[in-house]
């Protein structure tokens, strides 16, 4: 069966690793984002690797008027329609402390923008009776911490949304994978202090595709973050509030 | 774009640098950072010494700009961003019937690095160097403008960019000519050579497209220069051949791993691996081209102090005597590692500072021990005396005046790069150490 993937935030390192792997397996890719020169280069790369269709599309989480054009383009494809969401933004928490209006952007980029896109996309999955949604959240969404709790709370909201969407799409034959990466070696984490056990974007991409094949619901990548977060989630709040991790 | 302050090294891990590094993931990010902070580009850091180091300065890591952007199946011309590795190009294209004309001994080298070091491969005697198959380079210059550099329109800038150690600018992308291949399997013949004379005679007699010799650098006396000659052709049809399993060296090996008795023992066994009357086998292309790439972090075998690779080329006329003298010095010192390679080179080169010359090239790894630098200095002397050359991509120790003597086009190189980059934005540790450019900081 033809597989088409629309990839939101396709300029990110994880998204590019994912698109390459889909292309290697012969899937079509629609790379959606804002930097069109960059997306066109990635689309060319995917086409050379074996994607039957590889196109760059405009997507801005903050401009939902543009979403319809993407739905319309995808509707022309046969087979299964899938979507992978890699968008999100993480300004320094100290910048947000200085300018609280930044919160709106973080929540739109990491939660409400993609949620709105998926809300419009879900009927296409229901109509075709199948298809997968991959939503990339973050371990930061598992518990609010002093260092990035605005980003974390947006990702937590997104994870809850995905859980509900999974509940809805399962009855139509669709599937939703929630991905919670730990530290990944991307532009977002480049040069940040305190990084450890850092995974490559390609490792994450491989884990995501494996989770899609096996119809996993929620994955941590690399896998051991499940246990790290298990511990962190179980620290009593009375203690956690005094910690700085 | 955030900068990251880090200590980093080349593949040999002897020389170190500490500096600020940026790793743009999009060309637009690179260009916006270019407005206020420029620096030399680095790739996967597979050069051994200080080609890729800029201590106390800035460097741009290009490995995330790694896409193939256009391919013409009629002509075999591929355009790709500088950060893609030649291994990746080979992997994607071999099954489609194309491979790069030239690949070096590791697939982890980036396209930009292959150009900036004008690398060569096991087919240099016939095919020449990597730079000879580069049609066009998109170069981000010190002035912030992107230029198209070609051998026809900008011959001097082209010759200063190929093998130019990044001194003319940041290579953003390049167009290279691929060659057709009928399969991704190599038909390999291995034969023993019992000593140096026989080895050189076998290299001379060989008509193979790909030809490389492993040499037992611990052998002495009548067996001096013994080894195994590998000759290979690309098979004309696909057959089954198993790719060896990927392995990894988890941590630095203890220093005795490269002690003289162990290396002698390993080499003796490795030599006898090939039967006396030779053998034939099918090997996947990646295994043949990039034999050590399946072992990740293989450089850790040399221990935490790192290692040097000495590589020289000696012209035909002096090679026999020069190589014998070198091998005697190496085996006498007892410092050799199992990795020692000999091959024949043709005249093909594409830049002012390109390494190749017609003759024979010898490459030997030495663990970084107190006596290694002295031995390498002796080998440098023999190279000079023989009218040969040392490979900058491997170098960490050579003296500046020796390099000036070995590279007769150095004045042309200096003139062109100083015009392209008058302020010395792209200076690196190697360029300063070897005084390749005269710029006052």
């Amino acid at each position: 069966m033809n597989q088409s993937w629309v990839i939101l935030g396709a300029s990110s390192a994880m998204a590019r690793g994912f698109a390459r792997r889909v292309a290697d397996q012969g899937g079509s890719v629609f790379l959606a984002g804002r930097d069109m020169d960059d997306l066109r280069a990635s689309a060319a790369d995917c086409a050379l690797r074996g994607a039957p269709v590889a196109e760059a599309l405009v997507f801005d989480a903050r401009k939902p008027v543009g979403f319809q054009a993407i739905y319309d383009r995808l509707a022309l494809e046969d087979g299964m329609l899938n979507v992978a969401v890699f968008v999100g933004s993480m300004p320094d928490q100290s910048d947000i402390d200085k300018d609280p209006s930044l919160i709106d952007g973080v929540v739109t980029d990491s939660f409400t923008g993609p949620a709105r896109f998926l809300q419009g996309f879900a009927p296409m999955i229901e109509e075709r009776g199948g298809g997968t949604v991959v939503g990339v959240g973050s371990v930061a969404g598992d518990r609010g911490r002093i260092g990035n709790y605005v980003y974390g709370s947006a990702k937590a909201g997104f994870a809850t949304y995905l859980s509900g969407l999974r509940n809805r799409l399962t009855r139509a034959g669709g599937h939703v994978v929630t991905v919670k990466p730990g530290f990944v070696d991307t532009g977002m984490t480049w040069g940040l202090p305190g990084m450890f056990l850092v995974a490559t974007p390609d490792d994450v991409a491989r884990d995501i595709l494996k989770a899609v094949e096996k119809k996993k619901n929620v994955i941590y990548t690399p896998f051991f973050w499940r246990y790290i977060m298990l511990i962190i989630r179980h620290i009593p709040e009375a203690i956690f509030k005094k910690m700085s991790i | 774009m955030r900068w990251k302050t880090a200590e980093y090294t080349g593949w040999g891990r002897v020389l170190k640098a500490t500096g600020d590094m940026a790793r743009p993931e999009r060309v637009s990010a690179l260009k916006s950072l270019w407005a206020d902070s420029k620096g030399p580009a680095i790739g996967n850091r597979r050069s051994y010494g200080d080609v890729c180091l800029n201590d106390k300065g800035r460097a741009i890591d290009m490995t995330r700009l790694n896409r193939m952007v256009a391919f013409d199946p009629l002509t075999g011309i591929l355009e790709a961003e500088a950060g893609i590795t030649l291994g990746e190009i080979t992997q994607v294209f071999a099954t489609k019937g194309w491979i790069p004309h030239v690949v070096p001994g590791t697939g982890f080298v980036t396209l930009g690095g292959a150009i900036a070091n004008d690398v060569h491969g096991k087919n240099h005697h016939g095919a020449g160097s990597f730079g000879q198959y580069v049609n066009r380079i998109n170069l981000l210059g010190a002035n912030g403008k992107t230029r198209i550099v070609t051998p026809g329109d900008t011959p001097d800038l082209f010759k200063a960019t190929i093998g130019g150690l990044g001194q003319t600018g940041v290579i953003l992308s390049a167009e290279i000519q691929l060659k057709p291949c009928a399969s991704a399997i190599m038909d390999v013949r291995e034969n023993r050579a019992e000593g140096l004379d026989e080895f050189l005679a076998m290299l001379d007699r060989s008509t193979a497209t790909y030809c490389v010799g492993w040499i037992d650098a611990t052998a002495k006396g009548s067996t001096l220069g013994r080894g195994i000659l590998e000759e290979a052709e690309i098979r004309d049809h696909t057959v089954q051949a198993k790719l060896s399993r990927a392995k990894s060296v988890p941590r630095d090996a203890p220093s005795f791993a490269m002690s003289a008795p162990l290396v002698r023992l390993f080499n003796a066994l490795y030599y006898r691996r090939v039967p006396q009357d030779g053998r034939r086998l099918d090997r996947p292309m990646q295994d043949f081209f990039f034999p050590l790439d399946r072992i990740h972090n293989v450089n850790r075998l040399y221990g935490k102090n790192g290692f040097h690779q000495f590589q020289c080329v000696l012209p035909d006329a002096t090679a026999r005597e020069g190589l014998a003298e070198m091998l005697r010095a190496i085996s006498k010192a007892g410092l050799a590692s199992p990795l020692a390679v000999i091959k024949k080179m043709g005249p093909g080169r594409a830049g002012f500072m390109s390494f190749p010359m017609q003759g024979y090239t010898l490459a030997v790894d030495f663990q970084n021990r107190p006596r290694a630098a002295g031995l390498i200095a002796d080998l440098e002397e023999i190279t000079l005396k023989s009218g040969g050359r040392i490979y900058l991509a491997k170098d960490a120790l050579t003296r500046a005046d020796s390099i000036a003597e070995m590279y007769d086009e150095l004045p042309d190189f200096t003139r062109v790069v100083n015009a392209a980059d008058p302020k010395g934005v792209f200076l690196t540790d190697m360029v300063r150490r070897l005084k390749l450019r005269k710029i006052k900081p």
Side-chain angles (χ1 to χ4, degrees):
Chain A
M1 170 106 55
N2 290 343
Q3 294 287 343
S4 298
W5 282 90
V6 56
I7 297 170
L8 307 184
S11 285
S12 82
M14 273 187 267
R16 272 165 57 180
F18 181 79
R20 269 203 295 271
R21 282 180 175 268
V22 169
D24 284 339
Q25 296 177 5
S28 292
V29 292
F30 296 86
L31 306 176
R34 287 175 297 165
D35 187 337
M36 294 311 283
D37 285 340
D38 181 69
L39 294 174
R40 275 192 284 269
S42 290
D45 185 70
C46 288
L48 287 176
R49 286 168 190 273
V53 182
E55 284 177 24
L57 302 175
V58 180
F59 171 84
D60 184 339
R62 303 185 189 189
K63 290 181 187 151
V65 286
F67 295 175
Q68 190 59 46
I70 301 179
Y71 304 143
D72 292 346
R73 175 63 192 85
L74 290 171
L76 303 177
E77 293 300 309
D78 293 331
M80 282 299 152
L81 299 181
N82 311 279
V83 55
V85 179
F86 289 90
V87 289
S89 62
M90 188 179 74
D92 284 348
Q93 184 69 41
S94 58
D95 292 338
I96 299 174
D97 295 343
K98 278 179 228 138
D99 179 6
S101 71
L102 288 175
I103 290 180
D104 296 349
V106 176
V107 173
T108 309
D109 294 341
S110 310
F111 175 21
T112 55
R116 238 178 119 163
F117 180 89
L118 293 175
Q119 206 63 22
F121 190 84
M124 299 173 83
I125 289 184
E126 287 168 332
E127 199 177 296
R128 300 202 182 194
T132 301
V133 174
V134 169
V136 177
S138 169
V139 295
D142 279 11
R143 194 153 195 187
R145 300 183 296 112
I146 188 166
N148 62 0
Y149 58 92
V150 169
Y151 173 74
S153 57
K155 288 293 193 186
F158 188 49
T160 306
Y161 172 83
L162 291 171
S163 155
L165 187 66
R166 179 179 303 114
N167 203 188
R168 168 180 167 183
L169 292 181
T170 300
R171 34 202 91 197
H175 184 61
V176 177
V177 184
T178 305
V179 180
K180 296 187 179 180
F183 294 140
V184 187
D185 185 16
T186 65
M188 198 186 255
T189 58
W190 177 255
L192 282 188
M195 293 283 130
F196 57 92
L197 299 171
V198 178
T200 69
D202 193 52
D203 291 340
V204 171
R206 188 195 55 223
D207 284 356
I208 296 175
L209 270 176
K210 217 192 302 173
V212 169
E213 271 165 39
K214 294 193 168 168
K215 292 205 179 263
K216 298 269 189 193
N217 297 312
V218 180
I219 64 156
Y220 287 80
T221 161
F223 71 94
F224 50 78
W225 280 93
R226 179 179 294 278
Y227 306 104
I228 295 176
M229 294 320 293
L230 187 71
I231 294 166
I232 289 179
R233 276 202 315 274
H234 283 84
I235 300 173
E237 193 68 14
I239 297 169
F240 192 79
K241 69 182 180 186
K242 293 178 193 148
M243 294 171 71
S244 35
I245 53 171
Chain B
M1 167 66 47
R2 220 182 275 121
W3 292 81
K4 172 169 161 178
T5 307
E7 185 184 84
Y8 60 104
T9 71
W11 186 238
R13 301 200 299 165
V14 176
L15 302 180
K16 298 178 166 70
T18 303
D20 290 342
M21 231 187 281
R23 190 186 59 192
E25 294 187 337
R26 289 175 291 139
V27 177
S28 56
L30 169 59
K31 287 189 173 161
S32 66
L33 98 101
W34 209 241
D36 54 282
S37 43
K38 303 177 173 70
I42 61 175
N44 248 341
R45 290 181 281 119
R46 293 298 163 133
S47 55
Y48 288 62
D50 48 5
V51 172
C52 56
L53 304 183
N54 189 17
D55 193 33
K56 297 180 186 71
R58 295 190 147 165
I60 318 276
D61 179 326
M62 296 294 287
T63 55
R64 289 285 161 94
L65 296 170
N66 60 350
R67 289 160 296 192
M68 299 179 284
V69 289
F71 178 68
D72 182 346
L74 293 177
T75 58
I77 293 173
L78 171 73
E79 185 184 354
E81 291 180 325
I84 194 167
T85 64
L86 297 190
E88 180 106 41
I89 293 175
T90 306
Q91 197 198 324
V92 170
F93 277 93
T95 50
K96 303 182 203 295
W98 297 91
I99 53 168
H101 274 274
V102 173
V103 289
T106 171
F108 291 121
V109 68
T110 60
L111 174 59
I115 293 171
N117 292 283
D118 196 11
V119 299
H120 59 270
K122 298 174 176 59
N123 57 351
H124 185 272
H125 54 286
S129 69
F130 189 85
Q132 292 175 266
Y133 302 94
V134 175
N135 297 344
R136 205 173 65 133
I137 298 167
N138 286 334
L139 188 73
L140 177 60
N143 59 6
K145 296 204 177 86
T146 304
R147 290 187 68 171
I148 291 171
V149 181
T150 65
D153 295 337
T154 48
D156 274 3
L157 192 57
F158 186 81
K159 282 163 92 174
T161 302
I162 304 277
L165 310 168
Q167 295 306 297
T168 56
V170 173
I171 297 168
L172 297 175
S173 61
E175 209 178 82
I176 60 169
Q177 177 71 53
L178 302 185
K179 73 166 182 178
C181 68
S183 78
I185 304 294
M186 306 298 290
D187 178 358
V188 185
R189 277 158 297 145
E190 296 179 331
N191 284 290
R192 288 187 192 178
E194 286 172 9
L196 184 62
D197 283 342
E198 190 188 350
F199 216 142
L200 296 181
M202 284 163 71
L203 281 165
D204 285 340
R205 268 202 314 272
S206 174
T207 55
T209 309
Y210 296 93
C211 182
V212 63
W214 169 81
I215 211 163
D216 177 1
T218 62
K220 292 181 173 157
S222 62
T223 59
L224 185 83
R226 73 171 178 183
I228 296 164
L229 184 71
E230 278 189 1
E231 297 171 278
E233 302 293 343
I234 298 170
R235 285 204 64 136
D236 55 10
H237 62 279
T238 298
V239 293
Q240 280 298 316
K242 215 171 132 205
L243 195 63
S244 60
R245 281 262 300 277
K247 301 174 196 73
S248 180
V249 181
R251 58 180 67 84
D252 289 328
S255 60
F256 66 80
M258 290 291 164
S259 65
L262 278 180
V263 173
R264 266 202 308 277
L265 177 67
F266 177 90
N267 281 8
L269 294 172
Y270 192 81
Y271 178 71
R272 288 185 177 81
R273 189 179 56 105
V274 171
Q276 210 152 17
D277 48 357
R279 65 174 179 178
R280 233 212 93 250
L281 57 162
D282 291 316
R283 285 173 68 189
M285 208 168 239
Q286 283 152 293
D287 254 10
F288 176 76
F289 285 143
F290 316 127
L292 293 178
D293 283 6
R294 305 295 291 170
I295 310 169
H296 293 295
N297 300 314
V298 67
N299 54 351
R300 289 180 179 162
L301 287 177
Y302 293 98
K304 64 180 188 328
N305 294 327
F307 72 109
H308 292 287
Q309 182 173 100
F310 171 81
Q311 183 171 4
C312 68
V313 54
L314 304 184
D316 286 333
T318 58
R320 182 172 307 265
E321 208 173 310
L323 290 173
E325 197 181 341
M326 284 181 181
L327 289 169
R328 278 194 299 270
I330 294 167
S331 66
K332 189 167 156 226
L335 294 174
S337 73
L339 197 142
V341 170
I342 188 170
K343 71 170 263 81
K344 211 168 149 69
M345 283 200 132
R349 60 204 294 272
F352 293 130
M353 297 301 284
S354 294
F355 167 66
M357 67 162 75
Q358 168 88 42
Y360 300 83
T361 176
L362 174 73
V364 190
D365 280 2
F366 300 104
Q367 195 181 28
N368 179 25
R369 278 183 272 184
R371 288 184 300 128
L375 171 63
I376 293 171
D378 293 345
L379 301 178
E380 178 186 329
E381 271 321 302
I382 302 169
T383 309
L384 265 182
K385 194 174 67 185
S386 310
R389 213 177 257 154
I390 285 172
Y391 192 6
L392 296 176
K394 308 287 177 75
D395 184 54
L397 292 168
T398 308
R399 289 174 297 119
D401 49 346
S402 300
I403 293 296
E405 209 176 318
M406 293 169 185
Y407 286 84
D408 50 1
E409 288 174 292
L410 177 59
D412 297 304
F413 175 72
T414 307
R415 172 178 54 82
V416 177
V417 294
N418 282 353
D421 172 29
K423 290 187 186 146
V425 168
F426 302 119
L427 289 178
T428 56
D429 288 0
M430 168 170 274
V431 174
R432 283 184 286 263
R433 175 173 63 87
L434 297 177
K435 302 185 175 62
L436 301 181
R437 300 174 60 183
K438 291 165 193 82
I439 285 188
K440 301 224 160 52

